[in-house]
Amino acid sequence: MATHADALQPAPPGDWTLHGEQFRHSGPPENGWVQNFTSTVEALSEDRWRVWTSASVPNSHYKNIGFYEGRVGGKWRAVHAACSTGEPDRNAELAIGGMPGGCHPVQVVTLRLLDGRTRLYFWAHGKGVVRYIAADSLDETARRFHVVNALSPCLYHPADRAVSGEVASEAGLKRRSQQIASPVAGEKLATPELISNDATNVYQLPDGSFEMYSVALVQVEKDNPRYASQDNLKGYLRVIDRYTSPNGLVWGNRQRVITPDENDPIDQQFYYLSVTYTDEGRLGLLGNYRLDSQSIDIEACYSKDGITWDRPARSPLIPRSKPGNGVDTYLLHAPHNLVRRDGRWWLFYTGGNFSHNHKGSHGNPDRAIHAASCGSVWA
């Protein structure tokens, strides 16, 4: 992978102040987990924050999006979205209408668009449905949204009902060649270019266009050293692709931007890429997934153009806690971006105490939102 001759060095781990755990899941349903994976963080007045989140309940189909509001080190109030297939609930503090029937949203990205609207992006999960869709605000309060592309999504997961075996094979996923597409009336069939695994971040650029970073799957065979028998996706390698769009709804120009190279361990994969735009260039938070340990760390990287990425550190930006000292012992998931406030950069991230394949944990499996900050993101 090419690197920039004048690439910046991200701030080292020692420059970051850890503010510890901020909150865990609260409110209904019981026994839920919270994460702010890919999700936006907003600075509010009086040192308050709004952290957009996803909630889920292990071993169930329940998923939902929402946000928590509060102060670092203080109390946090949870708001969960009211989702419906019809018009959004006017009485709810956060409501999404036009949802595909039986579907639940997760991994929300919140964008304040240049034209004044607010847009939500999220993965919708339901029977036969695993797709990335958008919902636009209906008023200035940005509390009522309506899905705008349920039948023509931004991206499709390979397991979505609109993905045929032929298209999956064209996308390089030949093990799914026998898959039969079963779209509903009016639904667009997936194209190979729009097949993604998960973990997606969308950004609007100053010229009004959009860029998106998502995880792609590369099929590898058993004789390949990177074949992963210990992973929940045996025989697939996770890499990072970039897309562009004029309107944030129709995507193309797919490019592979980050893959494991000769300087990476043989069990290296990449789980996500979130981006923060600075005057010096793009700071990336890269999901450094190691299959042998089934752990995920946040790795800092750098790009001038969003296409060529330099990875000078190749090591964790934020340390995981030792077992017994916190819930952030196995998995660290990055938000949509860092936020600059009062001369410091703030990072709210999700920590989990269980392995990615769920075969190991440090205590009762759980997730929590943590915070860290530093004066400069560059060394």
Side-chain angles (χ1 to χ4, degrees):
M1 178 173 56
T3 59
H4 296 106
D6 56 347
L8 291 176
Q9 291 286 332
D15 286 4
W16 287 85
T17 299
L18 303 183
H19 301 279
E21 180 180 320
Q22 299 301 307
F23 58 85
R24 301 190 190 190
H25 173 77
S26 62
E30 295 183 356
N31 303 315
W33 287 346
V34 67
Q35 63 176 351
N36 72 324
F37 183 29
T38 77
S39 298
T40 311
V41 176
E42 299 177 283
L44 305 178
S45 61
E46 300 178 345
D47 295 326
R48 295 169 57 251
W49 296 91
R50 178 180 298 131
V51 179
W52 288 80
T53 56
S54 302
S56 61
V57 176
N59 302 315
S60 83
H61 295 296
Y62 178 85
K63 291 178 175 62
N64 199 7
I65 61 176
F67 55 82
Y68 282 66
E69 291 184 353
R71 293 181 176 86
V72 172
K75 293 183 178 180
W76 294 79
R77 180 179 71 94
V79 174
H80 304 291
C83 298
S84 60
T85 57
E87 292 302 308
D89 185 347
R90 291 183 175 272
N91 297 317
E93 189 168 353
L94 175 62
I96 305 172
M99 284 288 293
C103 289
H104 306 277
V106 70
Q107 295 178 17
V108 61
V109 166
T110 309
L111 289 189
R112 310 299 184 186
L113 302 182
L114 297 180
D115 64 9
R117 292 177 298 155
T118 300
R119 176 174 291 167
L120 305 180
Y121 291 92
F122 50 83
W123 282 96
H125 288 245
K127 185 177 181 180
V129 172
V130 191
R131 57 186 57 179
Y132 200 62
I133 60 178
D136 283 349
S137 59
L138 299 180
D139 53 43
E140 293 181 356
T141 66
R143 290 292 183 270
R144 296 172 57 244
F145 296 84
H146 199 280
V147 173
V148 296
N149 61 344
L151 299 182
S152 55
C154 303
L155 295 172
Y156 302 81
H157 187 275
D160 191 274
R161 68 190 177 200
V163 177
S164 69
E166 180 181 1
V167 164
S169 293
E170 287 183 41
L173 308 180
K174 299 186 184 302
R175 296 192 189 101
R176 305 188 74 98
S177 62
Q178 301 305 308
Q179 186 166 306
I180 298 175
S182 55
V184 300
E187 189 168 67
K188 285 190 175 182
L189 284 171
T191 62
E193 186 178 38
L194 296 181
I195 293 181
S196 167
N197 185 48
D198 201 337
T200 301
N201 281 293
V202 181
Y203 305 90
Q204 188 173 29
L205 301 177
D207 65 0
S209 66
F210 295 77
E211 69 176 1
M212 174 170 67
Y213 297 90
S214 191
V215 173
L217 296 177
V218 177
Q219 182 173 310
V220 294
E221 305 307 321
K222 289 185 177 180
D223 59 353
N224 189 307
R226 294 194 181 275
Y227 183 90
S229 61
Q230 72 275 51
D231 192 45
N232 64 320
L233 283 175
K234 295 180 176 62
Y236 291 100
L237 175 67
R238 296 171 181 84
V239 297
I240 306 296
D241 284 357
R242 177 183 183 264
Y243 301 75
T244 61
S245 171
N247 59 10
L249 298 175
V250 179
W251 295 88
N253 301 318
R254 183 174 184 169
Q255 293 176 279
R256 188 136 301 160
V257 294
I258 300 180
T259 63
D261 61 26
E262 66 277 3
N263 295 316
D264 285 311
I266 203 65
D267 68 330
Q268 177 77 68
Q269 294 194 10
F270 299 114
Y271 209 82
Y272 54 78
L273 177 65
S274 75
V275 179
T276 299
Y277 300 84
T278 75
D279 292 341
E280 297 83 0
R282 291 167 171 84
L283 174 73
L285 300 181
L286 181 63
N288 188 313
Y289 176 32
R290 297 294 300 276
L291 276 72
D292 287 349
S293 62
Q294 287 291 296
S295 61
I296 299 176
D297 286 297
I298 299 172
E299 175 190 328
C301 54
Y302 166 78
S303 179
K304 283 185 176 180
D305 55 13
I307 299 170
T308 301
W309 288 87
D310 188 84
R311 298 172 51 217
R314 302 192 183 225
S315 59
L317 178 67
I318 300 295
R320 285 181 274 130
S321 291
K322 295 181 179 180
N325 292 340
V327 75
D328 54 333
T329 59
Y330 254 118
L331 308 173
L332 300 188
H333 287 84
H336 182 250
N337 59 282
L338 304 177
V339 177
R340 187 158 177 79
R341 181 175 201 169
D342 298 332
R344 295 188 68 79
W345 289 94
W346 287 85
L347 167 62
F348 290 83
Y349 60 97
T350 303
N353 65 350
F354 52 92
S355 62
H356 181 261
N357 61 12
H358 294 266
K359 292 183 178 180
S361 67
H362 300 129
N364 187 41
D366 206 349
R367 284 177 170 149
I369 308 304
H370 300 71
S373 66
C374 70
S376 174
V377 294
W378 306 114

